[in-house]
């Protein structure tokens, strides 16, 4: 079905009624909301260009094969195009005031054509009808254009294996990414601890990483401002308990690492000694043999000699004289025996 002026006139909420002295074009020009959902529309035509003051346009649940040309509808802030047959995002360059865009349930393979939507705050591209084995791709130019404005993003059910490409979305506060193939917990920790540290709502149900041990506990610790995880509110009591638990684990882990480091250092030292040990003490024998003329500490030499004289030790000089006399006597006796006197 092609969109007609009559269909447009009947697509109002009932609050905006045509005045008696007002032409159809004048009436259509002042419309701000159009409800054209589920009308089997497959062709927009040119009549929509007369709706110059249009702010909200509902075109979901129709048969559209492409995004309609909306160059004359520059005042649009909300556009609903979900559940059509759209395969490419286009014709949106003139919608500089657009804040919310709904494109879920189409056949879009690449998120593109959004590079001029600098005020877009909410984007829904969930559950695209993708070819077998393919996942939704992201155009870097479009993502950069949305980096400062986009706050809510729905990419659920698009076979995504990674969300690292979305890292540039610095203002993101809500991410709906359920029913994908996300499995990298480190990637999620990086995003929640950096560019998405202000995230308040996160939905990851149906992803492989949800099967990890203590998945929810770990995510709550990662996202310090999370209020809703997988559709359930996070209480302040739960958050504080998990933060304390995490801090305790970190202390235990650090102690374990320190102990392992000490063991490795001890094992690496020669003879099994630690690098920080004191040097070995010399034995008493080595000290005695290496020091000559030893005097007791603090004792004058004369006093030391007096003590030595009173002791039972023999005088060294007398001992030498006695030994010399004995040797001479022996020599004389041996000479007599040999007849040498």
């Amino acid at each position: 079905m092609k969109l007609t002026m009559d269909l447009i006139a009947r697509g109002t909420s009932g609050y905006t009624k045509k005045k008696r002295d007002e032409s159809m074009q004048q009436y259509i020009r002042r419309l701000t909301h159009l409800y054209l959902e589920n009308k089997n529309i497959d062709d927009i035509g040119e009549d929509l260009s007369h709706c110059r003051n249009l702010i909200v346009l509902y075109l979901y649940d129709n048969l559209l094969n492409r995004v309609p040309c909306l160059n004359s509808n520059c005042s649009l802030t909300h556009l609903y195009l979900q559940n059509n047959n759209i395969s490419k995002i286009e014709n949106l360059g003139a919608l500089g005031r657009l804040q919310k865009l709904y494109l879920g349930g189409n056949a879009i393979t690449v998120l593109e054509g959004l590079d001029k939507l600098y005020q877009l705050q909410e984007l829904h591209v969930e559950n695209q009808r993708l070819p077998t084995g393919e996942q939704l791709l992201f155009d870097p130019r479009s993502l950069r254009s949305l980096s400062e404005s986009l706050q809510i993003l729905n990419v659920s059910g698009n076979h995504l294996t990674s969300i690292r490409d979305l890292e540039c979305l610095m203002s993101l506060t809500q991410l709906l990414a359920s029913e994908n193939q996300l499995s990298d917990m480190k990637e999620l920790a990086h995003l929640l601890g950096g560019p998405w540290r202000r995230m308040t709502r996160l939905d990851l149900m149906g992803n492989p990483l949800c099967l990890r041990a203590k998945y929810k506990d770990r995510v709550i610790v990662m996202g310090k401002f999370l209020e809703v995880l997988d559709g359930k509110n996070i209480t302040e009591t739960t958050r504080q308990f998990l933060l304390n638990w995490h801090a305790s684990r970190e202390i235990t882990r650090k102690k374990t690492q320190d102990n392992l480091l000490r063991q490795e250092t001890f094992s690496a030292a020669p003879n099994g000694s630690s690098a920080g040990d004191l040097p070995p003490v010399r034995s008493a024998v080595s000290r005695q043999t290496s020091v000559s003329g030893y005097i007791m500490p603090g004792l004058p030499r004369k006093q030391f000699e007096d003590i030595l004289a009173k002791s039972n030790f023999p005088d060294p000089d007398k001992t030498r004289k006695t030994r010399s006399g004995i040797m001479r006597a022996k020599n004389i006796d041996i000479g007599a025996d040999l007849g040498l006197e």
Side-chain angles (χ1 to χ4, degrees):
M1 179 183 294
K2 184 177 180 179
L3 184 64
T4 62
M5 294 286 282
D6 181 62
L7 194 59
I8 292 175
R10 289 188 285 113
T12 63
S13 63
Y15 294 101
T16 307
K17 295 182 179 181
K18 183 178 176 298
K19 299 176 182 179
R20 289 184 180 181
D21 58 345
E22 189 177 33
S23 67
M24 181 62 73
Q25 287 191 352
Q26 289 175 330
Y27 170 61
I28 290 176
R29 181 183 291 272
R30 67 184 178 87
L31 293 177
T32 59
H33 292 64
L34 267 183
Y35 301 86
L36 301 173
E37 70 277 5
N38 198 22
K39 303 292 186 185
N40 292 321
I41 299 172
D42 58 5
D43 186 5
I44 293 297
E46 301 294 331
D47 291 337
L48 196 61
S49 62
H50 297 289
C51 303
R52 298 299 179 89
N53 293 310
L54 201 60
I55 296 176
V56 180
L57 176 58
Y58 294 94
L59 279 171
Y60 61 87
D61 293 338
N62 281 296
L63 303 173
L64 297 173
N65 292 315
R66 56 183 300 180
V67 176
C69 183
L70 301 170
N71 293 339
S72 300
N73 310 107
C74 301
S75 298
L76 271 175
T77 59
H78 295 59
L79 179 58
Y80 297 80
L81 291 168
Q82 63 267 42
N83 300 327
N84 280 281
N85 296 317
I86 299 170
S87 60
K88 184 178 181 180
I89 304 175
E90 55 187 350
N91 299 326
L92 298 176
L95 306 183
R97 299 180 184 179
L98 195 65
Q99 298 177 10
K100 296 185 179 183
L101 177 59
Y102 294 79
L103 290 165
N106 281 284
I108 298 168
T109 57
V110 181
L111 189 67
E112 59 184 347
L114 308 174
D115 46 295
K116 295 184 179 180
L117 304 184
Y118 299 110
Q119 296 188 36
L120 193 67
Q121 300 174 8
E122 193 168 335
L123 175 61
H124 298 260
V125 287
E126 73 281 4
N127 299 320
Q128 299 300 315
R129 298 190 295 274
L130 298 166
T132 303
E134 293 190 14
Q135 60 179 313
L136 183 66
L137 303 176
F138 303 96
D139 173 37
R141 292 172 299 179
S142 291
L143 293 179
R144 284 196 298 269
S145 298
L146 302 175
S147 62
E148 296 183 3
S149 64
L150 196 65
Q151 300 174 16
I152 301 173
L153 176 62
N154 188 347
V155 290
S156 299
N158 286 313
H159 310 303
L160 298 177
T161 58
S162 173
I163 50 177
R164 181 60 72 95
D165 291 343
L166 307 176
E167 182 176 5
C168 65
L169 301 176
M170 306 294 291
S171 299
L172 207 61
T173 59
Q174 298 186 33
L175 176 66
L176 310 178
S178 61
E179 304 300 332
N180 282 295
Q181 301 299 320
L182 303 175
S183 60
D184 194 341
M185 189 66 77
K186 291 183 178 179
E187 177 182 89
L188 183 61
H190 167 73
L191 294 171
L192 291 177
W196 297 351
R197 57 184 175 275
R198 296 293 177 181
M199 185 77 66
T200 59
R201 180 185 177 190
L202 182 62
D203 190 352
L204 297 171
M205 291 181 64
N207 284 281
L209 59 78
C210 296
L211 302 176
R212 300 287 185 87
K214 297 188 178 298
Y215 147 73
K216 288 188 177 181
D217 296 346
R218 294 168 65 183
V219 174
I220 292 173
V221 171
M222 293 174 194
K224 292 181 172 53
F225 292 93
L226 276 180
E227 298 174 0
V228 181
L229 175 60
D230 295 343
K232 295 184 178 180
N233 293 332
I234 302 170
T235 64
E236 189 58 34
T237 303
T238 300
R239 185 192 309 281
Q240 195 58 50
F241 172 80
L242 292 174
L243 288 174
N244 293 338
W245 164 76
H246 178 71
S248 176
R249 281 192 60 188
E250 284 297 306
I251 293 174
T252 303
R253 184 181 63 83
K254 190 174 185 308
K255 286 183 178 179
T256 302
Q257 287 182 343
D258 291 344
N259 290 335
L260 290 175
L261 183 60
R262 290 194 192 96
Q263 291 177 5
E264 291 175 357
T265 305
F266 180 81
S267 300
N271 299 326
S273 62
S274 174
D277 289 343
L278 293 173
V281 180
R282 290 182 300 171
S283 64
V285 176
S286 63
R287 287 200 301 268
Q288 291 175 0
T289 55
S290 60
V291 179
S292 59
Y294 175 77
I295 300 176
M296 293 179 64
L299 195 65
R301 187 173 192 85
K302 186 176 185 308
Q303 187 177 354
F304 174 75
E305 291 176 350
D306 292 341
I307 294 173
L308 187 63
K310 295 177 181 180
S311 65
N312 295 325
F313 294 106
D315 186 353
D317 294 335
K318 292 181 179 180
T319 303
R320 282 195 296 271
K321 290 179 181 179
T322 304
R323 288 180 178 175
S324 299
I326 294 172
M327 290 300 296
R328 281 197 300 271
K330 285 185 178 181
N331 290 336
I332 292 172
D333 293 338
I334 294 172
D337 292 339
L338 296 176
L340 297 177
E341 293 182 355

